[in-house]
């Protein structure tokens, strides 16, 4: 089995350290990479020197994203609910890029609304299978290689819904995102001392197909300190920080990227 490519910063002189891209030589899986936030992450990571395996359900979109990114990107079909497909994605990285991933960015997720008293329990279960079990399967797939390599960065995209506040009629989505956030913090402890860091990004409203489908009124943004919708690049920049060595002392955190929404409404 191929291990994560070892990295020895001591081999680099100060000049090369200053000049190098922030993810030079790194190998990343980006789940949900065929569109929205995941695509933004894949684009930025390739620009910063990483080799990126774009993993997602829709094949034509995923392949198109990877093709546009050039020779340091590939596409592998992935349903995050299937541990076998996660293992395929890890092996595809080793085959295409010469080593298993030392970065996982788990953006794949689904929005499942529904009031708690009437929501179909099967819908609730589906939200947990994708947003929670999908995250667990991803962590378990990349962990062996990261352990062998002695380092890894896992970044999970959760949501303000459930993590920082409750959301009316979003029971399955909010509860599953809260569970994913808790899973991230527990994983950070379980990987303590291994060189593997696990963090989550908690986005506010980001302009993607998911939020467009939910339909957000323009007035929503008026009370925010930064009164605009977030862009996938806002989340990609946060993922870049958490995946790079710049965050080498950061694990188990929920990084809010929300235009200041959590700080409170701007009144008057
Ligand atoms: N857009 C927002 O405002 C917002 C806010 C907070 C959190 N988020 C979270 O950010 C992440 C990305 O969302 P987005 O806004 O880019 O939405 P999106 O719908 O554009 O992207 C989600 C991606 O996940 C993929 N996906 C869904 N189910 C999958 C499965 N079973 N296996 C593999 N891939 C699967 C989809 O194909 C899609 O490419 C999600 O986890 C979402 O919950 C989004």
């Amino acid at each position: 089995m191929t291990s994560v490519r070892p990295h020895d910063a001591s081999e680099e002189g100060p000049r090369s350290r200053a000049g190098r891209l922030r993810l030079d030589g790194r190998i990343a899986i980006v789940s949900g990479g065929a569109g929205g936030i995941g695509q933004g992450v894949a684009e930025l990571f390739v620009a910063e020197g990483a080799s990126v395996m774009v993993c997602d359900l829709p094949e034509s979109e995923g392949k198109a994203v990877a093709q546009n990114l050039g020779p340091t990107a590939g596409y592998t079909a992935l349903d995050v609910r299937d541990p076998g497909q996660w293992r395929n994605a890890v092996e595809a990285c080793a085959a295409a890029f010469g080593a298993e991933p030392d970065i996982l960015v788990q953006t794949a997720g689904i929005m499942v609304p529904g009031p708690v008293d009437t929501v179909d329990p099967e819908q609730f279960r589906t939200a947990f299978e994708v947003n929670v079990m999908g995250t667990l399967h991803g962590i378990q797939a990349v962990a062996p290689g990261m352990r062998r390599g002695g380092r890894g960065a896992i970044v999970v995209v959760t949501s303000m819904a459930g993590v920082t506040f409750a959301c009316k009629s979003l029971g399955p989505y909010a509860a599953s995102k809260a569970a994913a956030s808790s899973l991230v913090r527990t994983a950070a402890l379980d990987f303590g001392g291994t060189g593997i860091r696990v963090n989550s990004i908690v986005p506010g409203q980001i302009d993607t197909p998911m939020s467009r489908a939910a339909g957000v009124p323009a007035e929503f943004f008026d009370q925010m300190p930064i009164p605009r919708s977030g862009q996938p690049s806002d989340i990609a920049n946060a993922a870049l920080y958490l995946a790079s060595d710049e965050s080498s002392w950061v694990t188990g955190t929920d990084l809010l990227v929300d235009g200041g929404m959590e700080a409170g409404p701007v009144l008057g």
Side-chain angles (χ1 to χ4, degrees):
M1 181 72 74
T2 329
S3 289
V4 170
R5 187 179 295 155
H7 172 84
D8 184 357
S10 65
E11 289 171 2
E12 301 168 5
R15 184 165 298 153
S16 63
R17 254 204 310 280
R20 75 186 160 95
L21 298 169
R22 291 161 74 188
L23 297 179
D24 241 352
R26 308 287 298 272
I27 296 173
I29 284 182
V30 179
S31 77
I37 290 171
Q39 181 178 350
V41 171
E43 288 170 354
L44 182 60
F45 278 27
V46 165
E48 285 290 343
S51 298
V52 173
M53 192 57 72
V54 173
C55 297
D56 208 324
L57 289 172
E59 190 175 324
S60 56
E61 286 93 331
K63 280 184 172 166
V65 169
Q67 201 161 11
N68 284 338
L69 290 174
T72 55
Y75 166 77
T76 301
L78 172 69
D79 183 333
V80 294
R81 294 168 294 184
D82 181 346
Q85 293 189 29
W86 272 109
R87 281 193 295 277
N88 287 346
V90 169
E91 283 163 15
C93 280
F97 308 133
E100 291 187 16
D102 53 10
I103 298 171
L104 166 64
V105 185
Q106 157 70 359
T107 78
I110 52 169
M111 159 71 79
V112 183
V116 169
D117 57 338
T118 56
V119 68
D120 179 350
E122 275 312 308
Q123 291 288 94
F124 218 96
R125 203 184 309 279
T126 300
F128 271 72
E129 275 173 6
V130 175
N131 297 339
V132 186
M133 295 307 291
T135 301
L136 176 71
H137 296 323
I139 292 172
Q140 291 190 336
V142 298
M146 289 181 176
R147 279 186 183 277
R148 282 194 299 277
R151 72 165 184 161
I154 298 171
V155 182
V156 178
V157 178
T158 58
S159 175
M160 298 197 78
V163 176
T164 56
F165 44 67
C167 277
K168 187 172 162 56
S169 294
L170 276 188
Y173 181 71
S176 65
K177 289 295 185 177
S181 164
S182 178
L183 180 64
V184 162
R185 273 177 269 125
T186 307
L189 302 187
D190 289 345
F191 288 123
T194 65
I196 304 172
R197 299 180 297 104
V198 193
N199 291 290
S200 92
I201 297 172
V202 187
Q205 197 69 39
I206 309 298
D207 185 22
T208 68
M210 180 185 282
S211 62
R212 274 175 238 136
V216 184
E219 308 82 79
F220 177 87
F221 302 103
D222 291 347
Q223 293 301 314
M224 288 169 45
I226 304 174
R228 66 164 173 85
S229 178
Q231 296 299 316
S233 59
D234 292 310
I235 304 306
N237 279 312
L240 174 60
Y241 166 68
L242 290 174
S244 76
D245 291 340
E246 289 159 26
S247 60
S248 63
W249 204 48
V250 180
T251 195
T253 201
D254 291 315
L255 177 56
L256 268 65
V257 183
D258 67 347
M261 195 158 74
E262 174 61 6
V266 178
L267 299 172

